[in-house]
Amino acid sequence: MVDDTDLDAASACALADMARVRPVLDKIADKWTILILTVLCPRPSRFNAIKRRLDGITHKALADALKRLERNGLVTRTVLPTSPIGVEYAITPLGHSLRQPFEALCSWALDNGAAIEAANCEHDSNKARS
């Protein structure tokens, strides 16, 4: 276990760099980015294939997210010489560098989802009694 001094130092360091950290986190920690990059990690995909794999994403939300990811250098967009013209999205090396932290985050979510749900229920129950 990390002692409090190490945690204080890590916290102070993170807060000192927050002006540089927050804009980056704003670009990668939104609702769909992690899932889109997870879909693209193993192989490039066309728009509709990505949409099918991401249950619940709207056409507009996916289009906007892919434009944002392309602008941020995390994915590339390639127009395919097919009839009709197709577009394929692929993860870049920069996007691929997020694989390990995203896998760790997804694993954490799977391991702790039930605990978070239980905490929500307990909080709501306590709030209802107050």
Side-chain angles (χ1 to χ4, degrees):
M1 178 82 181
V2 179
D3 69 31
D4 288 344
T5 347
D6 291 339
L7 291 175
D8 286 339
S11 179
C13 184
L15 290 172
D17 291 332
M18 197 53 64
R20 291 184 1 208
V21 170
R22 181 160 183 190
V24 175
L25 292 179
D26 286 345
K27 289 177 173 66
I28 64 166
D30 60 50
K31 183 174 181 177
W32 294 110
T33 295
I34 294 171
L35 296 173
I36 292 169
L37 292 177
T38 300
V39 167
L40 291 175
C41 208
R43 74 190 60 77
S45 297
R46 290 185 178 209
F47 185 93
N48 285 328
I50 299 167
K51 189 170 182 310
R52 276 192 299 275
R53 300 234 3 238
L54 298 176
D55 186 36
I57 193 167
T58 65
H59 184 93
K60 181 176 178 359
L62 180 56
D64 290 348
L66 287 168
K67 286 176 191 169
R68 207 171 38 255
L69 291 170
E70 183 182 12
R71 181 172 185 258
N72 292 330
L74 300 173
V75 302
T76 58
R77 179 182 183 273
T78 303
V79 177
L80 304 172
T82 58
S83 182
I85 292 176
V87 176
E88 186 174 74
Y89 295 89
I91 196 165
T92 64
L94 180 61
H96 195 70
S97 71
L98 289 166
R99 180 178 175 202
Q100 187 174 2
F102 283 177
E103 284 176 353
L105 187 57
C106 288
S107 179
W108 183 92
L110 289 172
D111 292 345
N112 294 286
I116 290 174
E117 187 60 33
N120 283 193
C121 290
E122 183 178 342
H123 178 269
D124 293 348
S125 176
N126 290 340
K127 195 164 188 157
R129 281 188 250 138
S130 314

